[in-house]
């Protein structure tokens, strides 16, 4: 999935990259006999210890530990269980605890419902009007709006809301519904394999918290997992209590538009670490790895050399670079469809069909 991370470092004399395939995905979903791992084998502590086993196999005593999203929890857990093996740590779009969903709700509602920031106030006003006066279902509208803001940007979100106010449910809505269901409920080998990992995610990280039923609830998108995977029991580490004990540099990268792991969590993580630093990455949503993978390499190199971390001028080369053009194309198709419909329905089509 991440050739843009591997290629720039291939053959580089200053950096060796070891990428770990976590248990439950790819070849690591099976045991040594070739059978799928049982659900009981899926737990965070063993996933953390797998990283130590990989370092042992590669004869590496200490390393810069890099994690993105779920990987940040494993990286911090590695720091708890194997502190002597950490030279430094880079956390991209970080998790901090199984209660992060409260921050996610508050951040998204502050931006896109209350409109507490000037930049998003107009979009928040449109969303409220669609719900309060237009009768739009708030949960799917909120989920689509959050996705568009995070990965398409504010101008595309505003265009969507304008068109949504005039037209019926759009191509954007239909496409988002398909994508949302497919991210966790369908298995794409080596891209998204949630089946086994879902046991770990729901039981220890509360990936599917109980929905509160209001707009911009992250639990809306994961509510379909309730009942299919184990209920939340407890998380394996108390990271807020552990971070002050980390005696190595901890750099926390956070996308400016990240609604999945918001800035409040990233800033708190950096503040708790003894040598923590938060870096805001402009124009990026969740996962800097998926948008600007070379930013992670630049951060690691700076930590190893002792030079200042500079991320300016890096091009968007990751997987999510395709999302904004896709959204733009769907919005253009909706606009064209609406224009044709105003001129009259196609022959043989009933109004409203």
């Amino acid at each position: 999935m991440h050739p843009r991370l591997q290629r720039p470092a291939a053959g580089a004399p200053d950096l060796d990259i070891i990428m770990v395939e976590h248990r439950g995905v790819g070849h690591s979903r099976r045991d040594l006999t070739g059978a799928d791992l049982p659900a009981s084998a899926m737990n965070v502590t063993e996933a953390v210890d797998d990283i130590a086993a990989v370092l042992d196999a590669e004869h590496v005593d200490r390393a810069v530990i890099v994690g993105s999203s779920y990987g940040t929890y494993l990286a911090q857990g590695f720091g708890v269980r194997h502190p002597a093996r950490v030279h430094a740590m880079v956390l991209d779009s970080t998790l901090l605890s199984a209660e992060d969903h409260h921050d996610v709700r508050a951040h998204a509602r502050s931006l896109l419902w209350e409109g507490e920031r000037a930049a998003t106030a107009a979009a928040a006003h449109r969303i409220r009007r669609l719900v309060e006066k237009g009768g739009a279902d708030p949960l799917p509208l909120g989920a689509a709006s959050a996705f568009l803001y995070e990965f398409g940007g504010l101008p595309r979100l505003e265009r969507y809301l304008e068109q949504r106010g005039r037209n019926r449910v759009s191509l954007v809505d239909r496409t988002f519904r398909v994508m949302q269901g497919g991210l966790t409920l369908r298995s794409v080998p080596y891209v998204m394999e949630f089946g086994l990992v879902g046991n770990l995610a729901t039981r220890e990280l509360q990936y599917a918290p109980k929905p509160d039923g209001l707009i911009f609830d992250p639990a809306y998108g994961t509510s379909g997992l309730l009942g299919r995977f184990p209920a939340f029991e407890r998380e394996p580490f108390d990271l807020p209590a552990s971070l002050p004990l980390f005696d190595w540099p901890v750099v926390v990268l956070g996308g400016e538009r990240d609604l999945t792991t918001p800035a409040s969590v990233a800033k708190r993580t950096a503040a708790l670490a003894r040598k923590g630093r938060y870096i805001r990455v402009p124009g990026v949503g969740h996962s800097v790895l998926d948008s600007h993978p070379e930013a992670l390499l630049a951060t690691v190199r700076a930590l190893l050399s002792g030079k200042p971390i500079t991320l300016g001028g890096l091009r968007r080369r990751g997987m999510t670079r395709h999302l904004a053009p896709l959204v733009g194309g769907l919005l253009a198709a909706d606009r064209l469809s609406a224009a044709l419909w105003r001129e009259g329905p196609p022959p043989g089509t009933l109004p409203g069909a």
Side-chain angles (χ1 to χ4, degrees), residues 61-141:
D61 294 326
R62 298 174 73 228
V64 178
I65 305 299
V66 182
S68 180
S69 195
Y70 159 62
T72 66
Y73 199 97
L74 298 185
Q76 292 170 86
F78 185 88
V80 174
R81 289 182 63 81
H82 305 279
R85 309 197 69 170
V86 182
H87 176 80
M89 192 170 284
V90 180
L91 307 176
D92 160 31
S93 305
T94 193
L95 283 67
L96 182 58
S97 83
E99 300 298 324
D100 287 351
H101 55 275
H102 298 298
D103 284 83
V104 177
R105 287 175 177 140
H107 182 64
R109 288 168 182 168
S110 169
L111 281 178
L112 298 176
W113 185 250
E114 283 92 11
E116 293 179 357
R117 295 187 186 176
T120 59
H125 177 69
R126 284 186 184 275
I127 292 170
R128 290 198 307 272
R129 284 185 61 86
L130 283 170
V131 172
E132 295 167 357
K133 298 186 178 181
D137 189 337
L139 293 176
L141 175 65

Side-chain angles (χ1 to χ4, degrees), residues 88-91 243 246 248-252 269-270 273-278 303:
M89 192 170 284
V90 180
L91 307 176
L243 277 161
F246 291 1
W248 51 81
V250 177
V251 177
V252 181
T269 302
R274 193 183 306 177
K275 301 177 184 178
R277 179 184 175 189
Y278 167 69
L303 284 170

Side-chain angles (χ1 to χ4, degrees), residues 248-294:
W248 51 81
V250 177
V251 177
V252 181
L253 304 179
E256 174 188 26
R257 298 199 303 262
D258 192 346
L259 297 181
T260 308
T261 51
S264 56
V265 174
K267 291 176 180 179
R268 189 158 68 251
T269 302
L272 285 167
R274 193 183 306 177
K275 301 177 184 178
R277 179 184 175 189
Y278 167 69
I279 298 178
R280 172 178 167 271
V281 184
V284 173
H286 183 65
S287 181
V288 178
L289 169 63
D290 288 340
S291 62
H292 294 74
E294 291 172 6

Side-chain angles (χ1 to χ4, degrees), residues 13-31:
D14 64 328
L15 192 64
D16 289 324
I17 291 185
I18 301 171
M19 300 183 75
V20 178
E21 184 182 70
H22 298 301
R23 65 170 52 204
V25 301
H27 294 293
S28 301
R29 67 176 296 119
R30 299 180 178 88
D31 63 19

